[in-house]
Amino acid sequence: MRKSFSSPLASVFVIAVTVLWTIPTFGLLATSLRPKQDVTDSGWWEVFAHPQLILSNYHTVLFEGGFGVSGGLMPYLVNSLAISIPATVFPLVIAAMAAYALAWVRFKGSDTVFFVIFALQVVPLQMALIPLLQLFSGGAHLGGVTVLPSLDLHGTYAPVWLAHTMFALPLATFLLHNFISQLPRDLMEAAVVDGASHFKIFRSIVLPLCTPALASFAIFEFLWVWNDLLVALTFAGGTPEVAPMTVRLAQLSGSFGGRWELLTAGAFLSLIVPLIVFFGLQRYFVRGLLAGSVKG
Amino acid sequence: MSGHEPVALPVSSMLADSAWTDATVKLGNSFGAIAGFLGILLVVFFAAGRARGRLGRPLAILVFLGPAVLLLIVGLVAPLIRTVYLSFYNDDSTRFLGGRNYGWALTTGSIHQVLLNTLLWLLVAPLAATGLGLVLALLVDRMKRQAVYKSLIFMPMAVSLVGASIIWKFVYEARDTSQHQIGLLSQLAISLGWSHPPNWMLSHPLNNFLLMAVMIWVQTGFAMVVLSAAIKAIPDEVTEAARLDGARGVQLFWYVTVPMIRTTLVVVLTTVMITTLKAFDIVRTMTGGNFGTQVLANEMYSQSFVQFNVGRGSALAVILFLAVLPLVAYNIVQLRKERETR
């Protein structure tokens, strides 16, 4: 097999696919660096004939706008960060705690709880969106009794953080449980004998030992939130106060006529963070992705 | 930002300044929230850690497991039940309709198009991505600098579907043929001798396949990486034995490699299927579901959050759930089985 497949034809095929896979992104980057007039007058491939590159498109989209709307993308870029970081930390910590309890503070029914959390992975986000949005805006009522008052969270990040945290928990708990339950029993028992409480064990033994698993999941979850459109669109709305880059770019892509030098710059800005993570932390990225590929 | 800045001001640095202030405040809020969250946990840990004797264990269980269970009930379990309930009611949930929302979904002409498109997506995109990924996985491992090729083909997986959609929208950009083309596809078509290529996004049913190409572009690298790992895990003895029996090339591939990685192949295929079924980003960003390109996930979003047809939107969500349920269930069981044996 090795021989018959290693023909020059095979190499040509792989190289052709690689080029085909890279060109669209390269075209986006090239366009974002060209002056407006060049972008309207000629295709980006002419950049090789007239290599005039500028950065001012980036300044324009970040701070001035120019999409026929005032205001740039800077607030949205900040929102993406401000949403992604807490929405990574919250589920990570809560899931690690739950995983520890299910693995080491076992009680009657803990297997059942674990199985239910595990099974919740089959629920697609779409199934939870409408009721959760109604809950955030109107509170919960059972037979005329207010169980939960309406929370005035509108215009804050809180609904987006909460929704992402909730949706991340089944997968996070499951993955971290796999890891935490594998910790050496002797070590845990020795700590109990020494009189350490569960809280102390969790902080000084479990968390440090789980760093690789936590890092993999953190990278996966961060990119998941950063790249998400559905949850953000539903819970953040479209305002510059809360909405992240994905929401804004989806809006601009629809309402936008001909300013490709700006749209490409905006799109590339949203790609920079994932691409840095991808090329810088590829090993963790792959591990996190493979573990998390069936999320929500 | 909010549009209050006097537009005539040429001082863009002022805008930049206020943008930086805004950024500082927002990120301050985020890190404040994280600090507050960790602070509360620390206090609770400290307080609960002092409890001794019979109270210690139940308290530990409550503190460790309570937040996750509560959030899951409020965020997933209760909404799941409520969505099923809402799907049997009218749009302001005041009148019981029985199965009429489902009847609407299955009998309306425009929804037929949506379901047909979704089925088409479900068949074409996963098969193409997995097939191409498999071929690449077989070929790339014998090449020098394979890591470079793998990285570049895998890269689209890292970016958002919105970003991917804009990248491809630009490729598909079509102008009147009297002008210079700026979209790569139109230019390519013209240089290959097609003097008047169509406006790609408006040409039904071709536009459906052009949108699927984006999904294939994103998912092929994923398929390649996973399948390449599976192929490398085939024991050398197996291929050696087959070779001694006279198996060669394509034969070896069909009768040895494919059966050996069958489980992984199905897991990859179903994983891409799940993503395909639930993805609404591509259609929403590129055509908004117009020109005959609508799919189930985007129709569900439009019904629920654009037209506020809560009952119909819920029914579509339930249909989506029922469609992904067997795929996800199969997938999770397989993946977990594999993980345990590893």
Side-chain angles (χ1 to χ4, degrees):
Chain A
M1 181 166 76
R2 231 154 261 273
K3 237 175 231 152
S4 58
F5 275 114
S6 60
S7 65
L9 211 64
S11 301
V12 170
F13 177 76
V14 173
I15 292 171
V17 173
T18 310
V19 170
L20 191 67
W21 250 239
T22 317
I23 277 184
T25 319
F26 180 79
L28 184 91
L29 175 63
T31 306
S32 72
L33 293 170
R34 298 178 79 206
K36 176 173 189 278
Q37 205 52 47
D38 287 15
V39 173
T40 358
D41 288 350
S42 60
W44 59 264
W45 45 90
E46 311 252 330
V47 80
F48 299 109
H50 314 280
Q52 193 199 349
L53 299 179
I54 52 161
L55 276 174
S56 65
N57 293 333
Y58 284 91
H59 191 272
T60 311
V61 284
L62 269 177
F63 299 114
E64 291 161 34
F67 287 104
V69 279
S70 63
L73 287 173
M74 185 67 182
Y76 299 94
L77 196 62
V78 173
N79 290 342
S80 277
L81 261 186
I83 288 172
S84 304
I85 297 171
T88 304
V89 174
F90 295 161
L92 203 63
V93 174
I94 295 175
M97 285 161 50
Y100 171 72
L102 292 170
W104 294 102
V105 203
R106 302 180 55 82
F107 54 94
K108 212 176 147 208
S110 60
D111 282 340
T112 316
V113 175
F114 177 67
F115 180 76
V116 171
I117 294 179
F118 169 81
L120 279 176
Q121 286 180 82
V122 301
V123 181
L125 301 188
Q126 278 90 347
M127 281 297 275
L129 294 180
I130 302 174
L132 203 55
L133 191 67
Q134 287 177 344
L135 176 74
F136 286 152
S137 58
H141 313 278
L142 252 181
V145 183
T146 305
V147 184
L148 209 78
S150 124
L151 305 166
D152 192 19
L153 300 174
H154 193 74
T156 70
Y157 296 124
V160 199
W161 289 339
L162 263 171
H164 273 304
T165 302
M166 290 160 164
F167 297 150
L169 279 177
L171 183 71
T173 310
F174 176 77
L175 293 179
L176 294 176
H177 180 272
N178 278 354
F179 199 92
I180 291 174
S181 60
Q182 301 293 320
L183 294 175
R185 178 165 289 277
D186 301 346
L187 186 68
M188 303 303 245
E189 276 165 4
V192 174
V193 171
D194 284 350
S197 73
H198 284 299
F199 301 94
K200 186 146 174 41
I201 296 175
F202 181 74
R203 249 181 323 158
S204 48
I205 298 179
V206 175
L207 282 187
L209 287 180
C210 296
T211 318
L214 291 173
S216 282
F217 184 78
I219 288 171
F220 167 77
E221 176 68 10
F222 177 82
L223 284 184
W224 205 92
V225 176
W226 181 277
N227 287 335
D228 156 82
L229 176 67
L230 183 60
V231 174
L233 204 55
T234 311
F235 295 99
T239 64
E241 281 77 41
V242 192
M245 281 291 270
T246 46
V247 169
R248 186 60 176 160
L249 283 173
Q251 280 172 1
L252 294 175
S253 166
S255 64
F256 166 83
R259 300 296 303 273
W260 277 108
E261 78 285 1
L262 297 182
L263 188 59
T264 51
F268 201 78
L269 278 174
S270 83
L271 305 189
I272 288 173
V273 170
L275 288 182
I276 290 173
V277 173
F278 175 74
F279 285 113
L281 304 163
Q282 199 162 19
R283 206 150 40 94
Y284 293 97
F285 172 79
V286 173
R287 203 188 298 158
L289 185 82
L290 296 188
S293 53
V294 288
K295 177 184 168 177
Chain B
M1 254 158 287
S2 47
H4 299 307
E5 291 89 356
V7 185
L9 259 184
V11 203
S12 64
S13 67
M14 261 183 65
L15 288 172
D17 279 350
S18 71
W20 288 117
T21 319
D22 173 72
T24 319
V25 172
K26 282 172 170 173
L27 290 175
N29 284 342
S30 278
F31 285 108
I34 294 176
F37 169 74
L38 296 178
I40 292 172
L41 270 185
L42 220 62
V43 171
V44 172
F45 270 36
F46 180 75
R50 294 172 68 93
R52 285 283 178 271
R54 299 183 50 191
L55 215 62
R57 250 175 65 87
L59 200 63
I61 293 169
L62 183 74
V63 170
F64 277 115
L65 201 53
V69 169
L70 184 73
L71 284 170
L72 282 171
I73 290 173
V74 174
L76 276 176
V77 179
L80 178 74
I81 298 166
R82 181 144 172 91
T83 296
V84 176
Y85 169 89
L86 288 174
S87 73
F88 293 108
Y89 279 78
N90 68 339
D91 294 332
D92 50 10
S93 318
T94 49
R95 216 173 65 245
F96 182 73
L97 295 182
R100 234 174 295 167
N101 287 326
Y102 293 92
W104 164 84
L106 298 176
T107 55
T108 312
S110 61
I111 306 297
H112 277 166
Q113 173 79 64
V114 172
L115 296 177
L116 187 72
N117 286 346
T118 308
L119 194 67
L120 210 59
W121 272 81
L122 195 59
L123 289 177
V124 175
L127 277 176
T130 312
L132 188 57
L134 177 62
V135 172
L136 287 169
L138 279 170
L139 299 182
V140 82
D141 282 343
R142 298 173 223 321
M143 293 177 66
K144 278 183 213 149
R145 293 188 297 276
Q146 50 158 296
V148 177
Y149 300 115
K150 273 186 175 169
S151 278
L152 288 174
I153 297 175
F154 193 37
M155 180 203 68
M157 194 75 194
V159 307
S160 64
L161 289 178
V162 176
S165 302
I166 291 177
I167 290 175
W168 282 89
K169 205 177 172 191
F170 188 50
V171 172
Y172 299 150
E173 171 80 353
R175 287 175 156 192
D176 192 272
T177 37
S178 60
Q179 289 175 296
H180 281 288
Q181 294 298 330
I182 62 167
L184 191 60
L185 187 61
S186 297
Q187 180 66 40
L188 217 59
I190 289 172
S191 33
L192 288 176
W194 189 351
S195 54
H196 293 285
N199 189 333
W200 308 105
M201 283 297 95
L202 305 181
S203 330
H204 187 76
L206 177 66
N207 50 11
N208 274 309
F209 294 95
L210 292 174
L211 297 188
M212 286 175 213
V214 184
M215 188 54 103
I216 296 167
W217 181 70
V218 170
Q219 297 288 338
T220 296
F222 168 73
M224 175 191 67
V225 167
V226 180
L227 292 172
S228 163
I231 291 173
K232 279 188 180 148
I234 299 177
D236 280 341
E237 303 90 73
V238 175
T239 31
E240 280 312 311
R243 217 185 296 267
L244 284 179
D245 289 346
R248 288 288 178 274
V250 177
Q251 228 184 351
L252 194 64
F253 169 68
W254 276 118
Y255 295 109
V256 180
T257 312
V258 169
M260 287 298 285
I261 60 167
R262 211 191 61 215
T263 320
T264 316
L265 213 50
V266 178
V267 166
V268 169
L269 191 68
T270 44
T271 305
V272 183
M273 279 180 165
I274 295 163
T275 315
T276 304
L277 256 179
K278 292 190 301 188
F280 83 130
D281 322 42
I282 296 176
V283 169
R284 191 177 176 80
T285 312
M286 294 183 75
T287 62
N290 297 311
F291 324 122
T293 59
Q294 187 67 301
V295 292
L296 186 55
N298 194 41
E299 180 70 25
M300 181 265 155
Y301 188 87
S302 307
Q303 288 290 341
S304 314
F305 301 109
V306 182
Q307 302 171 41
F308 298 105
N309 293 329
V310 171
R312 289 176 175 183
S314 300
L316 292 176
V318 174
I319 293 174
L320 191 71
F321 176 50
L322 294 177
V324 293
L325 186 64
L327 292 172
V328 186
Y330 172 83
N331 221 327
I332 290 174
V333 170
Q334 283 301 328
L335 277 176
R336 304 329 174 209
K337 216 190 278 170
E338 211 172 291
R339 196 184 311 281
E340 271 156 32
T341 55
R342 224 183 281 153

